[in-house]
């Protein structure tokens, strides 16, 4: 049994299909309720897995806990924005923008942690940013001074920034007390969504219809299974060279399936931008790590 390959496959399928169910739920009950129940189901799954994952609460200091909570709130906000963008705009377009966050993390890590960026990483990052620009900005409207970016795309870009900051600085608590607790604490910040519901005067409710209930549970299961499998795989000596590239290719699965399932309209320029971004992501997460 090739455990690293199995774990990599779980990440590929989990990350590549999880947000398909997010879209289904968000377009029925809205972004806030969708994210609330997704995070709730993810927390339950984390609690079930906690006894089987190494962790040590004694390593958590008060300053690290505050940082972790701040990042967790940012993570929740980012996911609310992602889900709202999925509700408003084309699924493949929003998906590829969100999946581009590793390029931003790379740049932020170089700025704040002095991580070195190789020439190949710089080239692949430029490809990704070029693809994002082509996907997001309507060049024809740019030339005629019209509105360049629709609301859903703007929200997706903001969500990518939030998630990039989260994943960049989460390394601080991870280095202090391992990978499980920082993610668990971040997940546990989801009750703040209740205040978003109040602010928008949305009614809090349980997912009652079968499609929504199944979608929420599937998102929590698939995404969290991908998260755990990735961290487990990367902890196995010598397995990162197999796990990381396969995990990094998950946007291909999502973009393909979302285009086939939801049939959201995209312009020829956006299709080209999505392909350019996809190529950049795959290159960065495969060849860029060597």
């Amino acid at each position: 049994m090739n455990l690293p390959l199995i774990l990599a496959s779980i990440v590929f399928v989990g990350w590549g299909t999880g947000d398909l169910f997010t879209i289904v739920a968000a377009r029925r009950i809205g972004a806030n309720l969708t994210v609330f129940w997704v995070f709730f189901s993810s927390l339950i799954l984390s609690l079930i897995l906690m006894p089987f994952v190494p962790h040590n609460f004694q390593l958590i200091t008060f300053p690290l806990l505050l940082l972790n909570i701040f990042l967790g709130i940012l993570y929740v906000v980012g996911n609310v924005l992602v889900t709202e963008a999925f509700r408003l705009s084309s699924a493949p377009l929003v998906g590829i923008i969100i999946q581009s966050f590793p390029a931003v993390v790379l740049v932020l890590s170089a700025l704040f942690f002095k991580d070195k960026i190789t020439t190949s990483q710089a080239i692949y990052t430029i490809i990704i940013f070029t693809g994002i620009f082509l996907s997001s900005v309507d060049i024809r409207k740019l030339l005629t001074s019209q509105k360049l970016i629709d609301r859903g795309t703007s929200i997706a870009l903001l969500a990518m920034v939030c998630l990039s900051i989260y994943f960049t600085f989460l390394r601080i608590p991870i280095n202090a007390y391992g990978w499980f607790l920082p993610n668990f604490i971040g997940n546990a910040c989801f009750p703040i969504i209740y205040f978003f519901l109040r602010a928008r005067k949305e009614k809090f409710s349980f997912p009652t219809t079968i499609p929504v209930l199944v979608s929420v549970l599937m998102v929590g299961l698939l995404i969290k299974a991908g998260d755990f499998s990735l961290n487990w795989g990367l902890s196995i000596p010598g397995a990162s060279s197999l796990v990381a590239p396969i995990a990094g290719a998950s946007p291909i699965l999502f973009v393909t399936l979302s285009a086939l399932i939801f049939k959201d309209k995209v312009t020829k320029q956006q299709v080209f931008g999505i392909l350019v971004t996809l190529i950049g992501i795959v290159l960065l997460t495969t060849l860029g790590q060597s």
Side-chain angles (χ1 to χ4, degrees):
M1 182 178 69
N2 190 330
L3 180 59
L5 180 59
I6 293 173
L7 294 173
S9 300
I10 293 173
V11 181
F12 179 77
V13 174
W15 285 4
T17 62
D19 277 332
L20 297 174
F21 294 95
T22 299
I23 298 168
V24 173
R27 293 182 178 180
R28 289 173 180 260
I29 63 173
N32 288 320
L33 278 176
T34 297
V35 176
F36 184 93
W37 290 113
V38 166
F39 270 65
F40 178 81
S41 62
S42 296
L43 185 68
I44 298 301
L45 181 59
S46 297
L47 287 171
I48 294 173
L49 294 175
M50 182 178 283
F52 308 99
V53 181
H55 57 273
N56 187 349
F57 286 100
Q58 295 180 344
L59 296 175
I60 302 177
T61 63
F62 186 66
L64 285 173
L65 179 61
L66 288 179
L67 173 63
N68 208 152
I69 291 174
F70 169 75
L71 292 174
I73 292 173
L74 204 60
Y75 182 53
V76 173
V77 171
N79 275 273
V80 171
L81 293 173
V82 169
T83 309
E84 179 69 6
F86 275 133
R87 191 180 68 83
L88 295 173
S89 290
S90 163
L93 173 60
V94 172
I96 203 65
I97 291 174
I98 301 305
Q99 295 284 2
S100 303
F101 76 85
V104 183
V105 171
L106 184 67
V107 174
L108 291 176
S109 297
L111 291 174
F112 290 96
F113 298 105
K114 308 303 179 184
D115 290 355
K116 292 183 179 180
I117 298 180
T118 65
T119 302
S120 61
Q121 287 175 327
I123 293 172
Y124 303 149
T125 299
I126 291 172
I127 293 174
I128 291 173
F129 289 149
T130 301
I132 293 174
F133 175 81
L134 292 172
S135 302
S136 308
V137 178
D138 190 324
I139 295 178
R140 289 178 299 178
K141 292 182 179 180
L142 176 64
L143 296 175
T144 56
S145 300
Q146 299 179 40
K147 186 177 180 180
L148 306 180
I149 305 175
D150 65 38
R151 184 165 178 262
T153 305
S154 301
I155 292 173
L157 290 168
L158 181 58
M160 183 183 65
V161 172
C162 291
L163 296 178
S164 298
I165 294 173
Y166 171 78
F167 284 108
T168 298
F169 293 97
L170 194 69
R171 68 191 287 179
I172 298 174
I174 285 177
N175 289 338
Y177 43 89
W179 64 266
F180 179 80
L181 288 178
N183 285 280
F184 179 82
I185 293 170
N187 196 127
C189 293
F190 77 94
I192 66 164
I193 298 174
Y194 180 74
F195 297 102
F196 300 160
L197 290 167
R198 292 288 299 272
R200 298 186 63 173
K201 297 181 180 179
E202 295 180 20
K203 185 178 179 181
F204 180 82
S205 61
F206 293 91
T208 54
T209 63
I210 297 300
V212 173
L213 181 60
V214 171
S215 296
V216 167
L217 293 175
M218 287 301 294
V219 177
L221 175 63
L222 289 168
I223 299 297
K224 193 56 66 176
D227 291 345
F228 281 126
S229 297
L230 178 66
N231 286 292
W232 186 1
L234 294 179
S235 69
I236 299 174
S240 60
S241 60
L242 174 65
V243 175
I246 295 177
S250 61
I252 296 176
L253 180 60
F254 173 80
V255 170
T256 303
L257 292 178
S258 61
L260 293 173
I261 294 172
F262 299 104
K263 303 185 187 307
D264 294 334
K265 292 183 179 180
V266 288
T267 66
K268 291 181 179 179
Q269 180 191 311
Q270 288 175 327
V271 171
F272 180 68
I274 289 171
L275 291 174
V276 171
T277 307
L278 199 55
I279 291 170
I281 291 173
V282 173
L283 289 173
L284 180 63
T285 54
T286 54
L287 303 180
Q289 304 305 314
S290 58

